[in-house]
Amino acid sequence: MSIREVEDYFVALIKARFARRVRAVESLPADWDDDTFRRILRQAPGVFVVFGGGDADPSFDEQGRPVIEGQWGFTAVTTHAGGELARRHGDQREIGAYEIVEVLTTLLHDHDVPGHGQMKLRSIKNLFTDGVEKQGASIYGVEFSLPMFVTPENGEQPDLGTFRTFHDDIDPAPKDGRVLASDITNLEQ
């Protein structure tokens, strides 16, 4: 499975486990902005899947594919009119952040992901900030590692076609939006 397919796999697995106890289970980028934060608050209680990249393993698998130690984060977000304690503990009407974290941990630790390996729990973190508290939310992160084979979705190496032209804008961070130099090289075939 590709990274995208693994992400989709986790979303489906978590949706099936929580059924209707959460409003949202979806994937998000690793870097959140204010719009992302507002959106997840509107969808609380929810679980959000984040692929955080991974460190390369110096070995390759038996088929010569590169291997990474993939980092997967699962973020539990709750809001509750009953206050901070109810956000963490939940009640008869709404699930709490602690229960989401506990279910995720038992569901995913040692879970075999088809075509890759076993998930291993790395940490559980309270992602409390003053801003989160002011918005009336509790946010916890559960992090796992997963050995992953880096493969395209269809399992085949992509055909990039003939490499004929290289273009580069040279200026790593232009303050005025203008690059200092530009280069185009045509390669003989």
Side-chain angles (χ1 to χ4, degrees):
M1 286 195 287
S2 68
I3 295 168
R4 182 181 133 202
E5 289 170 320
V6 172
E7 183 178 78
D8 291 344
Y9 173 83
F10 287 138
V11 168
L13 181 71
I14 294 166
K15 276 183 181 178
R17 176 59 181 88
F18 282 98
R20 296 183 183 153
R21 300 212 51 216
V22 296
R23 279 192 190 131
V25 177
E26 62 183 56
S27 64
L28 292 175
D31 294 327
W32 294 7
D33 59 17
D34 290 339
D35 289 337
T36 305
F37 184 67
R38 281 191 292 277
R39 181 166 56 102
I40 66 169
L41 288 179
R42 284 191 306 270
Q43 294 176 305
V47 178
F48 302 92
V49 179
V50 177
F51 174 63
D55 295 326
D57 185 320
S59 64
F60 291 84
D61 75 341
E62 61 279 352
Q63 297 171 354
R65 298 177 296 183
V67 178
I68 63 168
E69 193 65 29
Q71 304 304 310
W72 289 91
F74 302 85
T75 305
V77 179
T78 59
T79 57
H80 199 290
E84 175 266 331
L85 184 64
R87 290 192 297 268
R88 289 182 292 120
H89 291 191
D91 60 20
Q92 293 176 344
R93 292 179 300 120
E94 199 165 288
I95 192 168
Y98 290 166
E99 185 177 351
I100 293 173
V101 166
E102 291 163 352
V103 169
L104 288 171
T105 302
T106 57
L107 175 67
L108 296 172
H109 181 68
D110 285 338
H111 180 82
D112 286 312
V113 176
H116 291 284
Q118 275 191 338
M119 298 283 286
K120 294 295 178 189
L121 178 66
R122 294 181 50 103
S123 68
I124 298 172
K125 295 179 181 174
N126 181 345
L127 302 177
F128 172 85
T129 65
D130 285 339
V132 169
E133 179 63 27
K134 286 177 185 172
Q135 295 291 325
S138 287
I139 302 180
Y140 286 81
V142 185
E143 295 178 2
F144 291 86
S145 61
L146 171 67
M148 297 178 66
F149 308 110
V150 180
T151 342
E153 281 183 53
N154 62 9
E156 299 175 12
Q157 292 300 321
D159 179 12
L160 298 178
T162 306
F163 181 58
R164 295 177 190 225
T165 303
F166 174 76
H167 174 89
D168 187 24
D169 290 329
I170 305 165
D171 190 357
K175 293 187 186 327
D176 62 2
R178 295 181 3 194
V179 296
L180 293 178
S182 185
D183 187 26
I184 296 177
T185 304
N186 291 312
L187 304 172
E188 289 186 32
Q189 299 298 311

